Amino acid sequence: MNGFGSAFLLAQVGAHAAQRFTERIGELDLTPPQAGLLRLVAARPGQSQQAIAAQLGTPATRLVALVDGLEKRGLIERRRNPDDRRLYAVELTEDGRAFMGRVAQAAAAHDRALTAALSDGERATLHALLTKIATDQGLTPGVHPGYAKP
Amino acid sequence: MNGFGSAFLLAQVGAHAAQRFTERIGELDLTPPQAGLLRLVAARPGQSQQAIAAQLGTPATRLVALVDGLEKRGLIERRRNPDDRRLYAVELTEDGRAFMGRVAQAAAAHDRALTAALSDGERATLHALLTKIATDQGLTPGVHPGYAKP
DNA sequence: TATTGTTATACTCTATAACTATA
DNA sequence: TATAGTTATAGAGTATAACAATA
């Protein structure tokens, strides 16, 4: 092992990737936790805040302010469930769906910039190796462990 | 791109690696910032706190408590510079050098556990690709951008 | 009584600025 | 005056626990 192991490199490059992503979506006035919530709501609309919290592995209390902020901006909305009036169903608004397009563009640009040093083949290899590790380590696809700070 | 891009995978796996590393060195009653400081002091002994702060990209004020804690445990020590009595030279103690052996063991075990799903060849490939990205992105070897939380 | 969502509180970590001592 | 180190203060972010509404 020359100098630093793969585990450290992963943590280092991963933290760098998170930082750059934070900067990039900052241009959309979005924080990483907000982006994570948006993506989950887009992927699985209509879930309660408790259900969302469980999937993100975060206390439900944390979602209140998070949902508040995005709701005030008109990107998501709470709908009361008529059958059980304790629950909200969190969903994207029309504006929210349009906004997700811009987020996806930012994510794609971020992806290209981060792996700019790799060839197409190397990029595919990296993706495969990372997927292998993620699966082995029991990571949930699309769920970032411990959101980076806004 | 099937599902998630490499950038997200990097951030996800990297955060997971940082978490597991935090747990592992926690058994040595060490936090990631402490481990980072120890490693730097071991690699370049005798530097002032200002110089260390500059290399870690952190405000010098943050180092005070960090150095305090490790000094109280007898792992590092401040030595006054006789030529310029404003400066300290931060160095490992004898106990500190012995302790670094245990840290290195923990880091090696962490490395093996994280890449357990890969073959030797795949591990080497991953290391090469990550190094390529780290170099391209201008990351300083051995310096973690934004320490994980204790 | 149990559950969803909310609010209130406390705690951790960090950065900024003010202070001291040496130069 | 300028720099190394320290201390004090304030800020952001998070988690824990208490609360209100509904079941």
Side-chain angles (χ1 to χ4, degrees), chain A residues 27-146:
Chain A
E27 298 170 8
L28 301 175
D29 280 318
L30 217 58
T31 66
Q34 289 175 325
L37 174 58
L38 271 182
R39 175 168 51 191
L40 182 56
V41 172
R44 300 189 183 183
Q47 295 192 111
S48 72
Q49 293 180 189
Q50 293 281 346
I52 293 172
Q55 287 162 58
L56 293 179
T58 186
T61 56
R62 195 176 164 184
L63 284 180
V64 179
L66 217 49
V67 173
D68 280 352
L70 294 178
E71 191 173 37
K72 272 177 193 151
R73 287 173 61 180
L75 300 177
I76 61 178
E77 60 181 350
R78 292 172 166 102
R79 292 188 189 165
R80 277 290 184 194
N81 183 334
D83 297 339
D84 186 339
R85 294 174 45 75
R86 290 173 307 182
L87 285 77
Y88 282 117
V90 182
E91 300 179 6
L92 284 185
T93 62
E94 199 53 44
D95 281 357
R97 266 182 289 276
F99 189 77
M100 285 305 292
R102 301 179 61 190
V103 175
Q105 278 189 346
H110 168 60
D111 220 89
R112 280 192 301 273
L114 192 73
T115 60
L118 305 186
S119 69
D120 286 351
E122 289 172 330
R123 213 169 284 139
T125 301
L126 176 66
H127 194 278
L129 293 175
L130 292 174
T131 301
K132 218 172 209 176
I133 293 180
T135 303
D136 174 61
Q137 297 287 311
L139 297 178
T140 306
V143 175
H144 191 289

